mmCIF file with all atom_site columns, all heavy atoms in Angstrom:
data_model
loop_
_atom_site.group_PDB
_atom_site.id
_atom_site.type_symbol
_atom_site.label_atom_id
_atom_site.label_alt_id
_atom_site.label_comp_id
_atom_site.label_asym_id
_atom_site.label_entity_id
_atom_site.label_seq_id
_atom_site.pdbx_PDB_ins_code
_atom_site.Cartn_x
_atom_site.Cartn_y
_atom_site.Cartn_z
_atom_site.occupancy
_atom_site.B_iso_or_equiv
_atom_site.pdbx_formal_charge
_atom_site.auth_seq_id
_atom_site.auth_comp_id
_atom_site.auth_asym_id
_atom_site.auth_atom_id
_atom_site.pdbx_PDB_model_num
ATOM 1  N N   . TYR T 1 261 ? 102.257 152.713 93.028 1.00 98.00 ? 271 TYR T N   1
ATOM 2  C CA  . TYR T 1 261 ? 101.920 151.824 94.163 1.00 98.00 ? 271 TYR T CA  1
ATOM 3  C C   . TYR T 1 261 ? 102.901 150.682 94.248 1.00 98.00 ? 271 TYR T C   1
ATOM 4  O O   . TYR T 1 261 ? 104.036 150.894 94.714 1.00 98.00 ? 271 TYR T O   1
ATOM 5  C CB  . TYR T 1 261 ? 100.485 151.353 94.088 1.00 98.00 ? 271 TYR T CB  1
ATOM 6  C CG  . TYR T 1 261 ? 99.461  152.493 94.203 1.00 98.00 ? 271 TYR T CG  1
ATOM 7  C CD1 . TYR T 1 261 ? 98.442  152.692 93.279 1.00 98.00 ? 271 TYR T CD1 1
ATOM 8  C CD2 . TYR T 1 261 ? 99.618  153.430 95.257 1.00 98.00 ? 271 TYR T CD2 1
ATOM 9  C CE1 . TYR T 1 261 ? 97.547  153.693 93.439 1.00 98.00 ? 271 TYR T CE1 1
ATOM 10 C CE2 . TYR T 1 261 ? 98.701  154.478 95.402 1.00 98.00 ? 271 TYR T CE2 1
ATOM 11 C CZ  . TYR T 1 261 ? 97.660  154.622 94.512 1.00 98.00 ? 271 TYR T CZ  1
ATOM 12 O OH  . TYR T 1 261 ? 96.786  155.696 94.659 1.00 98.00 ? 271 TYR T OH  1
ATOM 13 N N   . VAL T 1 262 ? 102.576 149.466 93.896 1.00 98.00 ? 272 VAL T N   1
ATOM 14 C CA  . VAL T 1 262 ? 103.509 148.335 94.031 1.00 98.00 ? 272 VAL T CA  1
ATOM 15 C C   . VAL T 1 262 ? 104.449 148.245 92.857 1.00 98.00 ? 272 VAL T C   1
ATOM 16 O O   . VAL T 1 262 ? 105.577 147.742 93.011 1.00 98.00 ? 272 VAL T O   1
ATOM 17 C CB  . VAL T 1 262 ? 102.682 147.041 94.254 1.00 98.00 ? 272 VAL T CB  1
ATOM 18 C CG1 . VAL T 1 262 ? 103.608 145.875 94.525 1.00 98.00 ? 272 VAL T CG1 1
ATOM 19 C CG2 . VAL T 1 262 ? 101.714 147.202 95.406 1.00 98.00 ? 272 VAL T CG2 1
ATOM 20 N N   . ASP T 1 263 ? 104.005 148.622 91.701 1.00 97.00 ? 273 ASP T N   1
ATOM 21 C CA  . ASP T 1 263 ? 104.875 148.675 90.508 1.00 97.00 ? 273 ASP T CA  1
ATOM 22 C C   . ASP T 1 263 ? 105.490 147.369 90.139 1.00 97.00 ? 273 ASP T C   1
ATOM 23 O O   . ASP T 1 263 ? 106.701 147.180 89.879 1.00 97.00 ? 273 ASP T O   1
ATOM 24 C CB  . ASP T 1 263 ? 106.019 149.721 90.756 1.00 97.00 ? 273 ASP T CB  1
ATOM 25 C CG  . ASP T 1 263 ? 106.743 150.072 89.459 1.00 97.00 ? 273 ASP T CG  1
ATOM 26 O OD1 . ASP T 1 263 ? 106.190 149.893 88.372 1.00 97.00 ? 273 ASP T OD1 1
ATOM 27 O OD2 . ASP T 1 263 ? 107.896 150.541 89.550 1.00 97.00 ? 273 ASP T OD2 1
ATOM 28 N N   . VAL T 1 264 ? 104.602 146.334 90.004 1.00 97.00 ? 274 VAL T N   1
ATOM 29 C CA  . VAL T 1 264 ? 104.985 145.062 89.430 1.00 97.00 ? 274 VAL T CA  1
ATOM 30 C C   . VAL T 1 264 ? 103.842 144.642 88.534 1.00 97.00 ? 274 VAL T C   1
ATOM 31 O O   . VAL T 1 264 ? 102.724 145.207 88.620 1.00 97.00 ? 274 VAL T O   1
ATOM 32 C CB  . VAL T 1 264 ? 105.240 143.966 90.501 1.00 97.00 ? 274 VAL T CB  1
ATOM 33 C CG1 . VAL T 1 264 ? 106.357 144.410 91.432 1.00 97.00 ? 274 VAL T CG1 1
ATOM 34 C CG2 . VAL T 1 264 ? 103.957 143.614 91.262 1.00 97.00 ? 274 VAL T CG2 1
ATOM 35 N N   . PRO T 1 265 ? 103.980 143.679 87.631 1.00 97.00 ? 275 PRO T N   1
ATOM 36 C CA  . PRO T 1 265 ? 102.938 143.250 86.728 1.00 97.00 ? 275 PRO T CA  1
ATOM 37 C C   . PRO T 1 265 ? 101.694 142.814 87.462 1.00 97.00 ? 275 PRO T C   1
ATOM 38 O O   . PRO T 1 265 ? 101.740 142.165 88.508 1.00 97.00 ? 275 PRO T O   1
ATOM 39 C CB  . PRO T 1 265 ? 103.564 142.116 85.958 1.00 97.00 ? 275 PRO T CB  1
ATOM 40 C CG  . PRO T 1 265 ? 105.058 142.382 85.953 1.00 97.00 ? 275 PRO T CG  1
ATOM 41 C CD  . PRO T 1 265 ? 105.279 142.974 87.329 1.00 97.00 ? 275 PRO T CD  1
ATOM 42 N N   . ALA T 1 266 ? 100.552 143.235 86.937 1.00 98.00 ? 276 ALA T N   1
ATOM 43 C CA  . ALA T 1 266 ? 99.235  142.857 87.531 1.00 98.00 ? 276 ALA T CA  1
ATOM 44 C C   . ALA T 1 266 ? 99.090  141.366 87.686 1.00 98.00 ? 276 ALA T C   1
ATOM 45 O O   . ALA T 1 266 ? 98.506  140.878 88.643 1.00 98.00 ? 276 ALA T O   1
ATOM 46 C CB  . ALA T 1 266 ? 98.099  143.448 86.733 1.00 98.00 ? 276 ALA T CB  1
ATOM 47 N N   . GLU T 1 267 ? 99.634  140.600 86.719 1.00 97.00 ? 277 GLU T N   1
ATOM 48 C CA  . GLU T 1 267 ? 99.460  139.108 86.822 1.00 97.00 ? 277 GLU T CA  1
ATOM 49 C C   . GLU T 1 267 ? 100.166 138.569 88.045 1.00 97.00 ? 277 GLU T C   1
ATOM 50 O O   . GLU T 1 267 ? 99.748  137.511 88.601 1.00 97.00 ? 277 GLU T O   1
ATOM 51 C CB  . GLU T 1 267 ? 99.988  138.478 85.558 1.00 97.00 ? 277 GLU T CB  1
ATOM 52 C CG  . GLU T 1 267 ? 101.476 138.636 85.299 1.00 97.00 ? 277 GLU T CG  1
ATOM 53 C CD  . GLU T 1 267 ? 101.938 138.088 83.947 1.00 97.00 ? 277 GLU T CD  1
ATOM 54 O OE1 . GLU T 1 267 ? 101.388 138.481 82.920 1.00 97.00 ? 277 GLU T OE1 1
ATOM 55 O OE2 . GLU T 1 267 ? 102.837 137.253 83.982 1.00 97.00 ? 277 GLU T OE2 1
ATOM 56 N N   . VAL T 1 268 ? 101.278 139.165 88.433 1.00 97.00 ? 278 VAL T N   1
ATOM 57 C CA  . VAL T 1 268 ? 101.969 138.707 89.632 1.00 97.00 ? 278 VAL T CA  1
ATOM 58 C C   . VAL T 1 268 ? 101.155 138.987 90.925 1.00 97.00 ? 278 VAL T C   1
ATOM 59 O O   . VAL T 1 268 ? 101.051 138.198 91.830 1.00 97.00 ? 278 VAL T O   1
ATOM 60 C CB  . VAL T 1 268 ? 103.360 139.366 89.727 1.00 97.00 ? 278 VAL T CB  1
ATOM 61 C CG1 . VAL T 1 268 ? 104.065 138.936 91.044 1.00 97.00 ? 278 VAL T CG1 1
ATOM 62 C CG2 . VAL T 1 268 ? 104.241 138.947 88.568 1.00 97.00 ? 278 VAL T CG2 1
ATOM 63 N N   . ILE T 1 269 ? 100.575 140.174 90.979 1.00 98.00 ? 279 ILE T N   1
ATOM 64 C CA  . ILE T 1 269 ? 99.704  140.597 92.086 1.00 98.00 ? 279 ILE T CA  1
ATOM 65 C C   . ILE T 1 269 ? 98.468  139.646 92.129 1.00 98.00 ? 279 ILE T C   1
ATOM 66 O O   . ILE T 1 269 ? 98.048  139.257 93.224 1.00 98.00 ? 279 ILE T O   1
ATOM 67 C CB  . ILE T 1 269 ? 99.311  142.030 91.981 1.00 98.00 ? 279 ILE T CB  1
ATOM 68 C CG1 . ILE T 1 269 ? 100.568 142.939 92.195 1.00 98.00 ? 279 ILE T CG1 1
ATOM 69 C CG2 . ILE T 1 269 ? 98.203  142.345 92.964 1.00 98.00 ? 279 ILE T CG2 1
ATOM 70 C CD1 . ILE T 1 269 ? 100.315 144.361 91.953 1.00 98.00 ? 279 ILE T CD1 1
ATOM 71 N N   . ASP T 1 270 ? 97.958  139.336 90.985 1.00 98.00 ? 280 ASP T N   1
ATOM 72 C CA  . ASP T 1 270 ? 96.749  138.460 90.908 1.00 98.00 ? 280 ASP T CA  1
ATOM 73 C C   . ASP T 1 270 ? 97.036  137.082 91.543 1.00 98.00 ? 280 ASP T C   1
ATOM 74 O O   . ASP T 1 270 ? 96.113  136.454 92.105 1.00 98.00 ? 280 ASP T O   1
ATOM 75 C CB  . ASP T 1 270 ? 96.333  138.261 89.440 1.00 98.00 ? 280 ASP T CB  1
ATOM 76 C CG  . ASP T 1 270 ? 95.044  137.542 89.324 1.00 98.00 ? 280 ASP T CG  1
ATOM 77 O OD1 . ASP T 1 270 ? 94.019  138.114 89.759 1.00 98.00 ? 280 ASP T OD1 1
ATOM 78 O OD2 . ASP T 1 270 ? 94.995  136.403 88.785 1.00 98.00 ? 280 ASP T OD2 1
ATOM 79 N N   . ARG T 1 271 ? 98.261  136.615 91.524 1.00 97.00 ? 281 ARG T N   1
ATOM 80 C CA  . ARG T 1 271 ? 98.555  135.330 92.120 1.00 97.00 ? 281 ARG T CA  1
ATOM 81 C C   . ARG T 1 271 ? 98.265  135.370 93.632 1.00 97.00 ? 281 ARG T C   1
ATOM 82 O O   . ARG T 1 271 ? 97.757  134.424 94.175 1.00 97.00 ? 281 ARG T O   1
ATOM 83 C CB  . ARG T 1 271 ? 100.022 134.965 91.897 1.00 97.00 ? 281 ARG T CB  1
ATOM 84 C CG  . ARG T 1 271 ? 100.398 134.769 90.435 1.00 97.00 ? 281 ARG T CG  1
ATOM 85 C CD  . ARG T 1 271 ? 101.898 134.540 90.322 1.00 97.00 ? 281 ARG T CD  1
ATOM 86 N NE  . ARG T 1 271 ? 102.344 134.627 88.929 1.00 97.00 ? 281 ARG T NE  1
ATOM 87 C CZ  . ARG T 1 271 ? 103.592 134.644 88.560 1.00 97.00 ? 281 ARG T CZ  1
ATOM 88 N NH1 . ARG T 1 271 ? 104.582 134.501 89.458 1.00 97.00 ? 281 ARG T NH1 1
ATOM 89 N NH2 . ARG T 1 271 ? 103.918 134.769 87.262 1.00 97.00 ? 281 ARG T NH2 1
ATOM 90 N N   . ALA T 1 272 ? 98.698  136.458 94.282 1.00 97.00 ? 282 ALA T N   1
ATOM 91 C CA  . ALA T 1 272 ? 98.406  136.607 95.703 1.00 97.00 ? 282 ALA T CA  1
ATOM 92 C C   . ALA T 1 272 ? 96.902  136.710 95.968 1.00 97.00 ? 282 ALA T C   1
ATOM 93 O O   . ALA T 1 272 ? 96.430  136.098 96.942 1.00 97.00 ? 282 ALA T O   1
ATOM 94 C CB  . ALA T 1 272 ? 99.163  137.824 96.279 1.00 97.00 ? 282 ALA T CB  1
#
Side-chain angles (χ1 to χ4, degrees):
Y271 294 131
V272 184
D273 194 21
V274 301
E277 64 185 54
V278 176
I279 292 173
D280 187 66
R281 296 175 195 173

